[in-house]
Amino acid sequence: MREPAIENNNHNISSPPQALLERLKDYGQEDAFAFWDQLSPDQQHFLVQEIESLDLPRIDRMIRCSFQSHGLPAAAIEPVPESFVSTVEDRKLEDRERWWKMGLKAISDGKLAVLLLSGGQGTRLGSSDPKGCFNIGLPSGKSLFQLQAERILCLQRLAVQSINEGSANIVPIHWYIMTSPFTDETTRKFFEYHKYFGLEADQVTFFSQGTIPCVSKDGRFVMETPYRVAKAPDGNGGVYSALKYSRLLEDMSMRGVKYLDCYGVDNALVRVGDPTFLGYFIDKGVASAAKVVRKAYPQEKVGVFVRRGKGGPVTVVEYSELDQSLASEINQGTGRLRYCWSNVCLHMFTLEFLNQVANGLEKDSIYHLAEKKIPSIHGQTVGYKLEQFIFDAFPYAPSTALFEVLREEEFAPVKNANGSNFDTPDSARLLVLRLHTRWVVAAGGFLTHSVPLYSTGVEVSPHVSYAGENLEAICRGRTFHAPCEITF
């Protein structure tokens, strides 16, 4: 929509459309027209279009339900039962191999799609570009988007090879990428410029999450300008309503998709579409699953999986909501934290469950109220942004399983600029280089390095290996000088 020019025009040009004003009054939002007399015709037209584009009954339901639930005492929490978790130490080699084969079979049958949550900008990284465009400084110079795309390409090849049929065709893994109004155009252009990193253009679908008006403490719309409502993205949990309203759940069904692997963009070690996790998920027969890492220490700023209420559903409690005494509790049997399973935004869902979640969240209309300073016509106004989170789905699940992974193998978050204490591009790069160095050494390779090995390493291209497999032929007996990228 074209931004109207600002003009000084203090006389009444016309009255607001009466029917629209009455609708706003029905929902207590008539203040949106408070500055009507001071607006130019262009600005008045812009404001009318803005208000008409809002689904007022739906937004009113969101505001009312969210305010009613805000501050209500939550049900008591319990640790997740041990039987819900597949731990690294209890996992047998034969189970891992069986799950890997099951996962590759499902991929070769076209039953898996992957869903990337990519609505955020790299603001904290010092960039206005989408986070996925960020280059963390690996020897290859690849962006996070490219690393993920090449892992998908590698998976497709592994799936074909697992069938043992020389004439088998590659079944593309469809990649759904959720952007936001702030990242959508730039993301699309980045993919087009890089020719989709080797993927077929028609196996990538972009869609944008929604925005919701910001509201004051009394539930009224905050006006960013006299003719524009302040809005904010609806959180990464907005993916469920976005999938529903863009009819992409039907699109997945038509493609034969049964399972959806869902993850966040800012993890440099993410195993996109992990066959072992997929096989485990299928084997357990659950509706939802999540990869988890052990919480490093009681005060670590990560959400943890809990059981809400006696025998209640598995869900996530944010670190800010977890009482410090509970956060520090020790399981006397294991000597570990009682609440230790960290949420790292690596999830698996059945398509059937996603349909249920989208309808359930829409019906309940409960959003988290994030108190923020919101730019407004009155300066910085303290109000609320309404958000849902990806983990809001879990309470709706009839069954959930947790799958422990090692953070040094699968979790390298890129959240803060270099120079911060944690989760920086530098720390993520080192995690990648160190893991890949262990792969190369395990495959019989050797390294030379002119700086200490703890601050360098090698990068294995996803074109060569997905998770350290099939490296012997390339690495055995060879010496690599770190840092470098190992390609075909």
Side-chain angles (χ1 to χ4, degrees):
M1 192 182 293
R2 184 171 63 87
E3 191 76 42
I6 296 176
E7 298 175 12
N8 291 320
N9 202 331
N10 293 321
H11 63 277
N12 191 316
I13 299 167
S14 64
S15 299
Q18 192 60 33
L20 192 56
L21 183 58
E22 292 301 322
R23 286 185 67 214
L24 283 173
K25 285 180 179 176
D26 288 343
Y27 299 111
Q29 301 292 357
E30 64 273 15
D31 284 356
F33 281 138
F35 294 90
W36 180 267
D37 292 349
Q38 300 171 28
L39 303 181
S40 71
D42 273 356
Q43 292 166 350
Q44 291 177 340
H45 179 67
F46 185 95
L47 178 58
V48 168
Q49 284 192 308
E50 174 107 320
I51 300 299
E52 285 179 338
S53 72
L54 299 177
D55 186 340
L56 289 173
R58 178 172 179 255
I59 292 168
D60 180 68
R61 189 170 69 249
M62 289 173 176
I63 295 169
R64 283 188 295 103
C65 293
S66 303
F67 270 69
Q68 285 165 10
S69 67
H70 186 60
L72 288 179
I77 61 172
E78 298 179 344
V80 175
E82 296 289 325
S83 60
F84 284 38
V85 188
S86 169
T87 61
V88 171
E89 61 192 2
D90 292 336
R91 215 171 285 149
K92 298 185 180 73
L93 177 61
E94 55 264 36
D95 285 335
R96 293 203 309 268
E97 291 177 344
R98 180 167 58 88
W99 291 333
W100 174 265
K101 289 175 183 174
M102 286 177 68
L104 287 178
K105 175 69 167 64
I107 291 169
S108 69
D109 290 341
K111 293 180 179 178
L112 177 75
V114 293
L115 172 59
L116 168 60
L117 307 175
S118 183
Q121 295 168 289
T123 311
R124 280 192 285 170
L125 300 170
S127 169
S128 60
D129 286 337
K131 277 187 181 178
C133 301
F134 204 80
N135 164 12
I136 63 170
L138 290 168
S140 66
K142 291 173 183 174
S143 64
L144 293 170
F145 281 142
Q146 182 167 357
L147 293 172
Q148 293 162 24
E150 291 181 359
R151 286 169 193 156
I152 291 172
L153 285 166
C154 187
L155 259 192
Q156 292 176 172
R157 282 198 312 276
L158 289 170
V160 168
Q161 292 165 6
S162 72
I163 301 173
N164 294 322
E165 295 175 12
S167 61
N169 294 319
I170 284 181
V171 175
I173 297 170
H174 205 85
W175 197 9
Y176 295 89
I177 299 177
M178 185 178 80
T179 63
S180 71
F182 308 109
T183 64
D184 188 74
E185 184 180 0
T186 310
T187 300
R188 291 171 188 263
K189 287 182 176 176
F190 193 76
F191 272 75
E192 288 168 8
Y193 179 80
H194 291 283
K195 297 182 169 49
Y196 295 84
F197 309 105
L199 296 167
E200 297 297 326
D202 62 3
Q203 78 180 97
V204 182
T205 298
F206 300 98
F207 66 105
S208 182
Q209 71 186 104
T211 59
I212 301 175
C214 303
V215 296
S216 60
K217 292 291 188 76
D218 60 0
R220 295 177 182 270
F221 293 161
V222 174
M223 298 301 292
E224 184 179 328
T225 71
Y227 53 85
R228 179 192 285 277
V229 178
K231 299 192 197 77
D234 52 8
N236 60 16
V239 66
Y240 304 113
S241 58
L243 286 173
K244 177 180 178 179
Y245 284 106
S246 54
R247 305 189 70 82
L248 289 177
L249 295 173
E250 290 98 319
D251 181 76
M252 293 174 190
S253 181
M254 288 182 62
R255 294 178 189 275
V257 170
K258 303 286 186 193
Y259 315 109
L260 198 68
D261 179 49
C262 179
Y263 67 97
V265 71
D266 54 3
N267 179 1
L269 281 176
V270 60
R271 293 188 182 177
V272 184
D274 181 2
T276 305
F277 184 39
L278 175 57
Y280 165 77
F281 179 70
I282 295 169
D283 197 29
K284 293 290 284 187
V286 291
S288 65
K291 286 184 173 181
V292 291
V293 300
R294 287 188 191 273
K295 197 172 179 183
Y297 50 92
Q299 290 77 35
E300 187 180 13
K301 293 183 176 181
V302 290
V304 291
F305 280 92
V306 302
R307 206 174 198 176
R308 184 73 79 178
K310 191 73 177 172
V314 170
T315 186
V316 173
V317 171
E318 284 289 65
Y319 65 88
S320 56
E321 300 169 5
L322 186 62
D323 185 89
Q324 278 306 302
S325 61
L326 290 179
S328 302
E329 277 187 8
I330 301 295
N331 180 326
Q332 297 303 320
T334 63
R336 300 190 180 112
L337 294 172
R338 288 187 77 215
Y339 296 95
C340 66
W341 301 119
S342 301
N343 170 42
V344 289
C345 197
L346 300 169
H347 305 317
M348 191 79 72
F349 303 116
T350 64
L351 184 59
E352 180 184 7
F353 173 58
L354 279 180
N355 276 292
Q356 295 168 7
V357 170
N359 292 325
L361 286 171
E362 181 70 22
K363 177 173 170 286
D364 293 342
S365 295
I366 296 173
Y367 285 67
H368 304 268
L369 298 178
E371 189 173 310
K372 303 282 186 181
K373 288 183 178 177
I374 300 161
S376 79
I377 49 179
H378 304 297
Q380 295 287 324
T381 297
V382 177
Y384 294 120
K385 294 181 179 180
L386 279 71
E387 299 175 325
Q388 287 183 326
F389 300 130
I390 190 74
F391 55 73
D392 288 339
F394 286 99
Y396 293 87
S399 51
T400 297
L402 304 183
F403 188 83
E404 184 194 6
V405 296
L406 300 176
R407 65 172 69 209
E408 62 266 27
E409 293 185 357
E410 298 198 39
F411 187 50
V414 185
K415 294 186 181 297
N416 304 307
N418 286 329
S420 302
N421 293 328
F422 54 88
D423 297 348
T424 64
D426 281 350
S427 65
R429 183 184 72 254
L430 279 177
L431 284 166
V432 174
L433 294 178
R434 288 170 184 168
L435 174 64
H436 292 191
T437 295
R438 294 196 294 274
W439 290 355
V440 169
V441 172
F446 302 93
L447 259 69
T448 60
H449 44 95
S450 50
V451 297
L453 191 55
Y454 64 77
S455 62
T456 187
V458 294
E459 175 189 2
V460 175
S461 168
H463 288 304
V464 174
S465 181
Y466 176 82
E469 77 292 332
N470 302 330
L471 285 174
E472 287 80 2
I474 295 172
C475 296
R476 185 164 301 282
R478 286 186 62 191
T479 299
F480 303 92
H481 185 76
C484 70
E485 182 193 18
I486 296 173
T487 59
F488 283 121

